Amino acid sequence: MKRFITSVVILLGVGSAVNAESQKPVKGTHIIVPAPSGFVVADRFPGYMSEETGSSVMVSELPAPFAKVTKDFGATNFKKQGMTLLTKEDATYGSYKGVLISASQSARGVDFLKWMGVFGDEKTTYMVTASFPKEAEDELSDVLKKSVIGARVSATCADPLGDLTFRVSSTGDMRIAKVFGNNILLSKDGVFPAKGIGTPIMVIGASASKGLSIQGRRAFVAARLQEIATLRDVLPKATDPVTIDGLDGFESVANATDTDSGTPALIYQVVLFDADGYYAIQGIASEQDGKTHLPTFKQIARTFTKSKAQHRGGSDVDKPRASP
């Protein structure tokens, strides 16, 4: 479970450059982050964005102990996630001890730099990640660094469901166990943390990037099946077109092996495309539990409704046309 969350992850300002009105928790989180001037509240992830500069400040709350999450934050693991670790130092975020990390990454032909503030306790890890084009380093680096290290945990209780860009409903014995960022984790009987492959889980979330242009959607969907960090030997069984809440996508079922225990596993996946990116729904269970939970996974997927999404246009030759 910890590696799954880590793989989900490894996906500010001077003086008046910080917006004084941003002293309330970022939507759907418990974290207060000073918003840099010119940044607006993002609509696809918890945080802020600047379309003009192609920069963002993203807040994540990971349901895993800080010590375990940061244990994997070395140069080797960053490289596996397509990033280069530049610096890592101890830092303090209010009453929490943590680390401040700088890293670089290339995406869609653009070189980006990142400031990452990571802190937490034995139950939750908080992460604030500021990303900006390297060509804007002189203008943005110090501003975004100050915003990241200014992050604090608010005493105000956030409504994690209130700002999600989508909804799904609990079905059968699968209950909502945790909401982190723009993601929902469901598990059998709402158990959290999940007890390895012995606990069926579902994770539903939205792509963070806005305006993604995904060419070859079927290939993209197939690649996502292979990227689940806790599973190996993924063997797709079926991938079919699906339409849910007006969004076209693909529904897949695959066999796999749990990396830790060697237990045969089942993967259920739906990827739905909209105008700005995609929504991903993934259910994971042991092969034995999968026989009884696959129908439930499918029912939950069909309760999906978007809050602020537009239908995706485009003319990909493999774009799904029909609903089952």
Side-chain angles (χ1 to χ4, degrees):
M1 181 64 186
K2 185 260 292 184
R3 289 203 314 279
F4 175 80
I5 293 170
T6 301
S7 72
V8 167
V9 177
I10 306 212
L11 259 152
L12 297 177
V14 178
S16 61
V18 173
N19 183 351
E21 296 181 356
S22 62
Q23 300 307 302
K24 60 182 181 179
V26 170
K27 63 176 185 178
T29 79
H30 297 82
I31 305 301
I32 296 172
V33 179
S37 178
F39 282 63
V40 299
V41 175
D43 59 4
R44 293 191 68 85
F45 60 86
Y48 307 103
M49 63 181 298
S50 168
E51 291 192 19
E52 181 179 356
T53 64
S55 306
S56 64
V57 180
M58 184 187 304
V59 177
S60 302
E61 296 185 3
L62 310 178
F66 168 77
K68 288 188 177 181
V69 172
T70 54
K71 182 180 180 180
D72 291 337
F73 275 25
T76 299
N77 193 63
F78 269 67
K79 187 176 181 180
K80 290 180 181 178
Q81 304 302 325
M83 291 185 283
T84 299
L85 177 64
L86 301 177
T87 63
K88 178 181 177 182
E89 59 186 272
D90 293 335
T92 301
Y93 301 87
S95 60
Y96 289 84
K97 300 294 184 181
V99 294
L100 176 66
I101 292 169
S102 65
S104 63
Q105 183 177 28
S106 294
R108 301 183 297 278
V110 179
D111 292 330
F112 286 88
L113 297 176
K114 297 175 182 285
W115 286 109
M116 304 170 64
V118 190
F119 53 100
D121 53 26
E122 66 278 3
K123 294 183 178 180
T124 306
T125 298
Y126 305 100
M127 181 181 298
V128 181
T129 303
S131 301
F132 54 97
K134 183 175 175 58
E135 62 182 17
E137 181 177 7
D138 291 344
E139 174 188 357
L140 292 175
S141 184
D142 288 343
V143 172
L144 294 177
K145 178 182 180 182
K146 186 172 182 180
S147 190
V148 168
I149 63 177
R152 299 291 184 270
V153 177
S154 171
T156 302
C157 182
D159 175 10
L161 290 174
D163 293 298
L164 288 168
T165 61
F166 62 92
R167 293 289 189 276
V168 293
S169 298
S170 299
T171 302
D173 60 4
M174 295 296 293
R175 304 295 180 185
I176 294 176
K178 189 74 174 179
V179 177
F180 52 103
N182 200 21
N183 303 272
I184 296 177
L185 171 68
L186 298 93
S187 67
K188 182 179 179 180
D189 299 325
V191 171
F192 183 84
K195 300 176 181 179
I197 196 64
T199 303
I201 65 168
M202 288 191 78
V203 178
I204 301 94
S207 59
S209 299
K210 190 172 182 178
L212 288 175
S213 178
I214 300 173
Q215 302 298 319
R217 293 178 178 178
R218 185 180 287 272
F220 176 83
V221 167
R224 282 196 61 86
L225 283 172
Q226 303 292 332
E227 294 171 357
I228 302 174
T230 57
L231 301 177
R232 57 179 172 83
D233 303 328
V234 176
L235 181 62
K237 295 175 60 179
T239 295
D240 299 304
V242 68
T243 299
I244 299 175
D245 195 37
L247 298 182
D248 293 330
F250 289 96
E251 179 179 55
S252 305
V253 177
N255 291 329
T257 301
D258 180 61
T259 302
D260 285 340
S261 66
T263 302
L266 175 140
I267 307 169
Y268 171 75
Q269 175 180 275
V270 172
V271 178
L272 302 171
F273 300 94
D274 71 358
D276 286 326
Y278 62 91
Y279 292 89
I281 302 170
Q282 288 185 330
I284 301 173
S286 67
E287 184 177 62
Q288 180 177 354
D289 287 331
K291 294 177 182 178
T292 56
H293 280 78
L294 181 58
T296 303
F297 289 166
K298 291 184 176 182
Q299 290 177 37
I300 292 173
R302 281 157 178 76
T303 70
F304 174 93
T305 57
K306 60 189 185 301
S307 301
K308 297 179 180 179
Q310 298 176 346
H311 295 295
R312 185 177 179 87
S315 59
D316 291 4
V317 295
D318 57 352
K319 179 179 176 180
R321 303 292 181 184
S323 176

